[in-house]
Amino acid sequence: MSGCGGCAKGSGAPVDPAEAAEDGEFPGPTTNACKLCTPLGACLAFKGVEGTVPFLHGSQGCATYIRRYLISHFREPMDIAASNFAEHSAIFGGREVLHTGLANVERQYQPALVGVATTCLSETIGENMPQLLLEYREKRAGAPGGSELVHVSTPSFRGTHADGFHAAVRALVETLALPAEAGGEKTGRRSRAAQPVALFPGFVSTADLRHLREIAAAFGTRLTLVPDYSDTMDGASWSDYERIPAGGTSIEEIREMGSARAAIECGRALTGQARTAGTHLAKLGVPLHRLGLPIGLRETDALCAALTAVTGCVLPPAMEAARGRLLDAMVDGHKYVFGQRAVVFGDEDMVIGLTSFLCEIGVQPVICATVARNRNFDAMLRAAVPELPADTLVRGRMDFADIEAAAGERKPEFMLGHSKGYAMARRLGVPLVRCGFPIHDRMGGHRLLHVGYAGALSLYDSLVNTLLARKQEGSSIGYSYL
Ligand code: SF4
């Protein structure tokens, strides 16, 4: 599923035995990796910043592949520039094509920011990106305009799309956020208490981003979301082509994050990392709350508790009502879901959030799988979901072949994950409840709501209805009242 063939982890090439041994795992082939390419995640994160053009330092095919994947999920136009490596650049280095490409993008798009991500090829030949970008800045010094340049290193042979996403968010904040004093001088802003809360939502849907704003508004605070692609990747139709779609968090807002009232960083995969966007703000004196993705009751409760701690506002009536509706639905539908066996797959944070939700509603996750090379995935998941049965298979670095083989033995009633698991679910004869990214075989995958009490309710309805439909279709009588 990594799919482009340029990345050894997704092309069927063997995993490097030394690397696998270092990770304490058996070195076997990866036949269909349950991940997407790392710069893809970075490009999506860059699309959440106003006036930004994502730029790949590498081959044009990488940009085409990523555009095709994102367009197919979001159903929106998506420009990604590239330095267009050819043989000469691969052998002698890509300084010239990088500088030419950046100059072309600045001239044609006049972007506020260019987000530069490296591909497998430029990473493999060891391009010295800080030096190359410094030279470009020196070259254009004195010329009018000039975009912000933010660089992120995204070798796809070492990470997933989620890693690229988080790395780009961190690069944006590390490059742009100013310390409180400097931010105050520059922007004339007031005390921390008057500032928005900085929220790093993780790799979620456009509906999720909008709903997080609504949740914060219910607590009486504004958010600075990084990234926010809710408009750029899910906007209204245009009468004329727009080179850079409107929307996204502005550079000024990111600069001011150093003075934020507090920061909330979602994603348990990040909690073990010392260097993230959130920890950078913490170094600037911003109080940091590190949570999981707010999927299901418990994780949404944790988000609400963090917002209460930040704002002093107890659970607002609208949130309390949404929580009540979720509990009521859980009572109504428990007879359909209790004891059902599920396979959950996808990126780490989504798998942890979904597993937590499944355990809350009485489903038994029999396999929790991610391709991420996270040695602590099992411990991380079990710490977040302590009631998870001991015999549940929890593993990182699983490809679709591994998941399918394990699922054949464990006989799940359904699967929960993105649409790339469809072929596997079809062969196993079980339904796939689609969520996360990517969803290429349904409309509106990017508008699926996962987060908050409302997101849990929506997931719950689709899950119960999938099971009911299966029961109905498998019935010789054809019940119409279930
Ligand atoms: S960066 Fe690597 S994995 Fe991504 S499209 Fe290019 S070659 Fe493929």
Side-chain angles (χ1 to χ4, degrees):
M1 177 195 157
S2 178
C4 79
C7 166
K9 291 283 187 282
S11 62
V15 171
D16 172 26
E19 193 182 276
E22 187 192 305
D23 283 0
E25 291 180 21
F26 181 76
T30 298
T31 52
N32 190 3
C34 178
K35 69 157 191 154
L36 296 167
C37 101
T38 311
L40 179 150
C43 288
L44 182 61
F46 287 136
K47 287 295 286 182
V49 180
E50 189 178 49
T52 292
V53 174
F55 184 106
L56 295 185
H57 186 43
S59 311
Q60 191 176 16
C62 299
T64 305
Y65 159 74
I66 292 172
R67 288 178 58 244
R68 179 242 176 272
Y69 251 78
L70 289 171
I71 290 169
S72 177
H73 176 82
F74 288 98
R75 319 248 171 193
E76 293 284 1
M78 169 95 191
D79 282 7
I80 297 176
S83 53
N84 294 350
F85 264 47
E87 288 89 340
H88 184 277
S89 337
I91 295 164
F92 298 107
R95 172 188 281 106
E96 198 182 325
V97 289
L98 175 70
H99 291 182
T100 306
L102 288 173
N104 284 343
V105 166
E106 289 201 286
R107 190 180 63 252
Q108 292 181 17
Y109 287 81
Q110 293 163 353
L113 186 147
V114 182
V116 183
T118 41
T119 67
C120 295
L121 180 52
S122 55
E123 286 285 344
T124 302
I125 66 169
E127 288 284 80
N128 184 346
M129 292 304 289
Q131 176 64 26
L132 295 183
L133 290 174
L134 178 69
E135 289 171 9
Y136 178 73
R137 286 192 185 95
E138 285 171 357
K139 231 190 230 182
R140 74 171 185 191
S147 322
E148 285 285 352
L149 300 176
V150 173
H151 158 241
V152 58
S153 169
T154 45
S156 207
F157 43 81
R158 291 209 64 85
T160 69
H161 53 293
D163 294 326
F165 182 94
H166 293 311
V169 172
R170 189 188 74 216
L172 284 163
V173 173
E174 286 182 347
T175 309
L176 300 173
L178 297 168
E181 316 77 57
E185 275 164 28
K186 199 172 166 65
T187 63
R189 284 300 198 99
R190 303 154 309 271
S191 66
R192 279 198 193 283
Q195 300 289 345
V197 171
L199 178 65
F200 304 110
F203 201 128
V204 292
S205 75
T206 56
D208 291 332
L209 296 171
R210 288 189 282 268
H211 189 49
L212 287 167
R213 278 196 193 289
E214 289 165 1
I215 292 175
F219 278 86
T221 186
R222 287 176 300 126
L223 287 181
T224 300
L225 273 170
V226 177
D228 180 3
Y229 40 84
S230 59
D231 289 328
T232 57
M233 299 303 287
D234 191 18
S237 56
W238 308 328
S239 47
D240 288 312
Y241 179 68
E242 295 176 16
R243 280 178 188 255
I244 303 180
T249 304
S250 71
I251 291 176
E252 271 319 301
E253 287 174 303
I254 303 177
R255 287 200 210 288
E256 289 169 13
M257 286 180 115
S259 336
R261 185 173 188 174
I264 298 176
E265 188 165 59
C266 299
R268 297 213 177 253
L270 295 174
T271 52
Q273 294 181 21
R275 195 175 152 209
T276 67
T279 60
H280 183 74
L281 290 191
K283 280 188 211 147
L284 300 182
V286 179
L288 174 62
H289 300 257
R290 305 181 93 177
L291 311 173
L293 283 188
I295 294 176
L297 192 69
R298 169 175 30 207
E299 297 287 28
T300 304
D301 283 348
L303 173 65
C304 290
L307 285 167
T308 295
V310 172
T311 62
C313 173
V314 292
L315 195 66
M319 294 300 295
E320 202 173 339
R323 192 178 193 278
R325 278 192 294 275
L326 173 60
L327 288 174
D328 184 52
M330 286 180 176
V331 173
D332 294 343
H334 79 278
K335 60 187 172 186
Y336 304 120
V337 295
F338 185 80
Q340 297 285 305
R341 297 155 66 83
V343 170
V344 193
F345 61 90
D347 61 68
E348 296 156 283
D349 291 331
M350 191 56 81
V351 170
I352 293 173
L354 292 173
T355 303
S356 175
F357 168 65
L358 290 180
C359 288
E360 285 167 5
I361 61 174
V363 169
Q364 187 193 348
V366 290
I367 300 172
C368 304
T370 181
V371 79
R373 302 164 0 139
N374 182 342
R375 293 180 209 182
N376 299 323
F377 182 60
D378 183 275
M380 194 183 281
L381 178 55
R382 290 184 187 281
V385 192
E387 69 272 33
L388 188 69
D391 61 353
T392 299
L393 176 65
V394 180
R395 258 190 60 196
R397 213 167 179 163
M398 281 187 103
D399 64 13
F400 277 121
D402 297 330
I403 299 171
E404 187 171 339
E409 294 161 12
R410 288 166 188 255
K411 310 263 179 283
E413 268 93 20
F414 69 96
M415 297 188 145
L416 192 56
H418 50 75
S419 72
K420 292 299 163 189
Y422 172 67
M424 166 179 70
R426 183 182 159 102
R427 280 191 294 272
L428 290 167
V430 295
L432 170 67
V433 180
R434 288 162 179 77
C435 54
F437 173 90
I439 296 178
H440 288 162
D441 60 356
R442 290 288 184 276
M443 269 299 290
H446 61 301
R447 285 189 292 270
L448 282 182
L449 186 62
H450 307 83
V451 305
Y453 303 124
L457 185 57
S458 168
L459 276 176
Y460 189 75
D461 286 345
S462 12
L463 202 153
V464 173
N465 288 332
T466 301
L467 293 172
L468 287 178
R470 183 174 166 80
K471 190 173 173 187
Q472 205 165 26
E473 282 155 16
S475 159
S476 56
I477 302 167
Y479 293 106
S480 61
Y481 190 82
L482 289 162

